[in-house]
Amino acid sequence: MSSCRQNPVRKAAIGLSVSAVLIAMSACSVAPPDASETKTGSEQKLTTGDTSQLKEITDFCGDKPMKVALADGQGGNAWRKVTRAEFEDEASRCDNIEVLPYADGQNNPQKAISDVNALVAQGVNGLVVFPDSGPAMLPTFRTAFKAGVSVVPYTSNPGGTPGVDYTTFVSNNTAAEGGIWAAWMCQTLQPEGGNIVFLGGTPGNTQSLTELEAVEEEMASNSDCSNVKLLNKSGQPYDTNWEPTQGQKVVAGLLTQYQQIDGIISDSSQVVVAGLRAVKAAKRSTPAIATVDLNELSCLWETYDKAGDAFPMMSIDGRPWLVRIALRKAVADFQGIDNDEPNIVTVPIFEDTTDDSKPVRCEPSLPPEASVSSTLKPEQLQKVFN
Amino acid sequence: MRFAWIGVATVLLFVMSPLIAPGSLDSGALAGMVPFAAALALIAVGQTLVLAQGGIDLSVPAIVGLAAVVVTKFADGDDAKLPLAMVLTLVVAAAFGLVNGLATTKLNITPFVVTLATNSAGLGVIYIVSNEFPTPAAPALTTFMSAQWIGVPTPAFVAVAVVAVAHVLLKRTTRGRVFLMVGANRTAAATMGIRTDRYVVGAYVLAAVCYAVGAIILAGWVRTPTLFIGDQYLLPSIAATVLGGTAMTGGIASVLSSSIGAVFLTQLSQVVLAAGASTAGQRLVEALVLAAGIAVQRLRLPRALTPAGRTRRQEARDAVSEREPREELTNHVKL
């Protein structure tokens, strides 16, 4: 009998041994920097508020040396670049904070999980994560949190329980944004009213569904909306995958289906820009727009304005600064200082063509994808893109 | 018949479009559809060339994305730099195709594996070249791709020109016939003394150039192409090619039918959207039509219904004869 042949029991034993070694190795990769720091928590209630309740990081720096890091589930766009710069700028204001290398999960859940594990192995104390992979990240968060790391996911909800599975969660107030868009749209379309559409992202994504629900609630309760008709079927955003080319096709389809579209609400300005191209190709009048701030849209609006074709537009703040709150929460937790800033922040209106105090802000020197609502100084923003 | 049915199906689709979604043949609706169809047609032409050699190109997303990044980044919004940026785009794409071709022939690695790997590498290069954010196309490119001539969007003319040249080269020249012969049976072609590697490498290079031209159209039309704009074109390019009648086993191909397949798919998608179908409905309809389209190609038609009463056996014999070297061709081949 060949020496390569083994009986099944022996094979199973070897398999189990290899598995045990692999499990031990993977456990080593997320072992706590100091086993004595292992913590357990109790459920934390998330608070809602607005930007007037935000504080300075210097209130939470403390005096313990600490390592912080930002782990993105998916980098590779201007918003994430600005967010990263905001994070590093905020961290630089505390002398006792060291920033570990930035991690980009490249839209690969496996890599995103490995990134978090690697940062824990490097001794990170405060970890801010954009969990694009959602609940898939939860076991990793739980392990890191129990290992003593202050873990703060932001913007994308990973599920689980704040205070038990991770330190806390920070996000913009998605529901409030839907209401703000709908109220502005209804007011802007007065007195004639009209037809409006809501463009969402990927099919079934929670963010777009929550926003649409808020739009519908606002339209049901706001008297300005009595002669405004939402063309979406109830609870069904028009799916664009947040892809401009798909957005353009969807809007072209809507223009074919409906003779009159007076307003577009979308949680993606890039989709709006693409949709406006479809409107122009179809030679239809430009609808009112309610969306999120984006340099490309602002500059496009200026082009229309110069040509005498300005359309009503409102954008809420693109909140690339939200990551600063997440960092402050992580730092405060590690330093043992209370942080009473809101977890769920209602972001303000950034541009409104019907309000002179909120003019459209096009920055030609910045890339079209940039969010001009960044709190970075212009020279810092320039540096991000050079 | 193999290549003709997609033309019939496309005509039927356009005739039925207004019945399914009123207004879907309005000039505005067509103006929005044609540039996307033109880009997909060119990408499908490239995929056809590779499939004709019995290969498959999974690096479409990387090449299209990289070409869009190069043409926008190197022009940097300056019309004066646009010609050089366009030339650079074609050169970069050709180099990408050359790597695919050489890895397939000289290293003898399966095309599936080669192009999967180069696609991954190409996506990484996109990150580096773009500095992780997209750049708007030069104004002249946007103006040209958004313009219309005698009521037809200009991207259509670009696509028609490239498809016409590719069709003539493939079907009306000796090189084209040899190209198909190599795809049908590389061993036999090599035995005849044909340098088959040149044709295979050439297929990947020309395919990449076609993808790049498609990407230039997209960049001009959408103005600020996202870094991964090519992701949406891999499966449609294969679907359009197969719907057009090109055999995935190589040797039987028509770039003209593939480009018509691209128009068919784009219009189908637009009509389904305009009819107000949900995302689930859109996907189901498109899948069913694709399945039906491929099934129709396999149907055995009664003798009376086949063109000029040709039997299935006769068609098969003709198809085989296309795959076999013809005597007159060998006279033109370097031995």
Side-chain angles (χ1 to χ4, degrees):
Chain A
M1 184 183 281
S2 161
S3 61
C4 293
R5 291 192 183 171
Q6 296 161 347
N7 66 44
V9 175
R10 194 173 168 191
K11 269 185 174 176
I14 290 172
L16 282 172
S17 307
V18 171
S19 303
V21 170
L22 288 173
I23 290 166
M25 285 169 69
S26 65
C28 287
S29 65
V30 292
D34 178 350
S36 63
E37 289 180 17
T38 301
K39 63 178 169 185
T40 55
S42 56
E43 183 172 352
Q44 189 202 56
K45 196 178 173 195
L46 301 180
T47 57
T48 303
D50 58 38
T51 51
S52 66
Q53 296 165 269
L54 303 183
K55 297 187 171 169
E56 297 288 322
I57 194 171
T58 45
D59 295 345
F60 310 105
C61 288
D63 47 18
K64 283 196 281 183
M66 73 179 291
K67 293 176 180 176
V68 299
L70 173 64
D72 253 334
Q74 179 188 6
N77 65 51
W79 192 88
R80 303 291 177 119
K81 282 176 85 81
V82 173
T83 297
R84 177 183 171 186
E86 294 259 4
F87 177 88
E88 288 168 358
D89 180 63
E90 189 75 355
S92 71
R93 298 177 64 196
C94 293
D95 295 335
N96 55 332
I97 289 183
E98 178 192 346
V99 179
L100 293 178
Y102 165 78
D104 175 3
Q106 297 173 6
N107 203 25
N108 176 348
Q110 195 178 348
K111 181 174 187 312
I113 290 168
S114 297
D115 284 343
V116 171
N117 288 338
L119 288 166
V120 173
Q122 289 174 57
V124 73
N125 306 116
L127 183 60
V128 175
V129 189
F130 193 125
D132 294 82
S133 307
M137 300 296 293
L138 203 53
T140 314
F141 287 168
R142 200 178 293 133
T143 309
F145 178 59
K146 287 184 175 163
V149 180
S150 299
V151 182
V152 183
Y154 81 107
T155 300
S156 175
N157 194 339
T161 309
V164 175
D165 297 314
Y166 44 86
T167 307
T168 190
F169 173 65
V170 170
S171 177
N172 53 310
N173 192 339
T174 313
E177 285 163 14
I180 293 169
W181 286 326
W184 179 88
M185 188 61 82
C186 291
Q187 192 181 19
T188 303
L189 294 181
Q190 290 309 315
E192 292 88 358
N195 295 333
I196 66 171
V197 292
F198 177 83
L199 307 179
T202 48
N205 83 84
T206 317
Q207 181 188 333
S208 299
L209 289 174
T210 309
E211 289 163 347
L212 178 57
E213 194 181 335
V215 167
E216 288 170 343
E217 280 174 14
E218 181 69 25
M219 291 186 69
S221 61
N222 188 332
S223 60
D224 280 347
C225 301
S226 56
N227 57 355
V228 177
K229 185 182 176 191
L230 182 66
L231 297 175
N232 295 67
K233 286 177 190 159
S234 180
Q236 290 185 24
Y238 289 111
D239 301 323
T240 67
N241 300 331
W242 289 307
E243 260 295 329
T245 45
Q246 182 63 16
Q248 189 164 338
K249 291 175 186 174
V250 167
V251 172
L254 287 168
L255 291 167
T256 305
Q257 198 179 353
Y258 299 104
Q259 283 305 306
Q260 190 188 346
I261 293 178
D262 305 285
I264 295 176
I265 300 176
S266 176
D267 50 11
S268 166
S269 317
Q270 287 152 315
V271 163
V272 167
V273 170
L276 288 176
R277 212 164 14 248
V279 171
K280 194 173 180 182
K283 295 178 181 157
R284 302 275 278 273
S285 56
T286 313
I289 299 294
T291 183
V292 184
D293 98 272
L294 181 79
N295 198 28
E296 184 175 21
L297 178 60
S298 305
C299 294
L300 183 67
W301 185 89
E302 285 199 349
T303 311
Y304 274 69
D305 188 38
K306 281 175 190 163
D309 297 326
F311 53 91
M313 183 185 90
M314 181 271 275
S315 67
I316 56 167
D317 194 308
R319 31 73 186 167
W321 40 262
L322 208 62
V323 71
R324 291 181 186 259
I325 307 173
L327 177 62
R328 291 198 289 268
K329 295 266 183 199
V331 171
D333 180 63
F334 182 76
Q335 298 292 342
I337 302 169
D338 279 343
N339 177 305
D340 59 357
E341 293 180 281
N343 295 90
I344 310 298
V345 185
T346 303
V347 297
I349 291 177
F350 183 67
E351 299 163 311
D352 184 352
T353 57
T354 65
D355 180 351
D356 290 341
S357 67
K358 295 183 175 66
V360 174
R361 287 178 52 186
C362 161
E363 295 289 345
S365 59
L366 294 177
E369 257 202 348
S371 183
V372 186
S373 57
S374 166
T375 54
L376 293 170
K377 294 173 188 160
E379 59 271 22
Q380 287 176 303
L381 266 178
Q382 289 290 353
K383 202 173 162 189
V384 170
F385 294 110
N386 287 321
Chain B
M1 183 61 193
R2 181 182 188 103
F3 298 124
W5 89 270
I6 187 65
V8 176
T10 306
V11 170
L12 274 176
L13 177 64
F14 275 90
V15 169
M16 289 172 65
S17 291
L19 306 175
I20 301 166
S24 55
L25 284 190
D26 288 357
S27 60
L30 290 176
M33 184 278 288
V34 167
F36 288 119
L40 180 57
L42 290 174
I43 296 167
V45 166
Q47 190 69 262
T48 305
L49 296 177
V50 175
L51 286 176
Q53 290 303 317
I56 190 165
D57 197 343
L58 303 184
S59 63
V60 166
I63 300 178
V64 171
L66 185 58
V69 165
V70 171
V71 79
T72 52
K73 200 82 183 173
F74 285 87
D76 200 20
D78 184 352
D79 289 345
K81 294 180 187 168
L82 182 60
L84 189 60
M86 289 172 73
V87 171
L88 187 62
T89 303
L90 298 179
V91 170
V92 167
F96 205 121
L98 187 64
V99 172
N100 280 341
L102 289 177
T104 306
T105 53
K106 303 299 178 191
L107 302 179
N108 207 20
I109 307 173
T110 318
F112 185 91
V113 176
V114 168
T115 54
L116 195 64
T118 53
N119 183 60
S120 184
L123 295 177
V125 174
I126 288 174
Y127 269 106
I128 297 166
V129 176
S130 67
N131 196 18
E132 299 184 13
F133 62 90
T135 307
L141 185 61
T142 305
T143 306
F144 180 77
M145 292 303 174
S146 310
Q148 294 187 358
W149 188 55
I150 53 171
V152 180
T154 44
F157 293 100
V158 178
V160 167
V162 175
V163 171
V165 170
H167 180 74
V168 169
L169 288 177
L170 200 61
K171 298 287 187 183
R172 298 279 181 266
T173 66
T174 308
R175 288 262 180 220
R177 306 295 287 180
V178 175
F179 178 87
L180 290 175
M181 186 176 67
V182 170
N185 192 332
R186 203 182 303 177
T187 309
T191 308
M192 290 170 60
I194 297 170
R195 294 174 178 173
T196 56
D197 284 0
R198 288 187 179 186
Y199 286 91
V200 178
V201 173
Y204 282 97
V205 171
L206 290 175
V209 170
C210 288
Y211 306 152
V213 179
I216 291 172
I217 287 179
L218 283 173
W221 173 235
V222 304
R223 189 166 181 270
T224 309
T226 55
L227 298 186
F228 303 110
I229 194 167
D231 289 356
Q232 304 162 53
Y233 288 91
L234 174 59
L235 293 180
S237 72
I238 296 171
T241 306
V242 173
L243 273 178
T246 292
M248 293 190 80
T249 46
I252 302 172
S254 166
V255 292
L256 185 60
S257 297
S258 297
S259 58
I260 295 172
V263 174
F264 177 86
L265 279 182
T266 313
Q267 176 64 9
L268 175 68
S269 163
Q270 207 57 48
V271 168
V272 174
L273 272 172
S278 64
T279 302
Q282 291 165 33
R283 298 278 162 85
L284 281 171
V285 169
E286 288 172 18
L288 284 173
V289 171
L290 265 175
I294 291 165
V296 164
Q297 291 180 38
R298 309 270 168 192
L299 275 182
R300 271 177 191 276
L301 294 180
R303 183 187 169 93
L305 294 179
T306 54
R310 281 147 47 94
T311 62
R312 186 81 180 172
R313 186 171 293 174
Q314 281 174 314
E315 283 194 6
R317 200 160 47 229
D318 287 353
V320 169
S321 73
E322 273 194 358
R323 299 165 68 114
E324 289 174 347
R326 291 183 179 179
E327 197 175 328
E328 68 269 24
L329 290 177
T330 58
N331 298 331
H332 296 83
V333 177
K334 287 183 184 173
L335 297 173

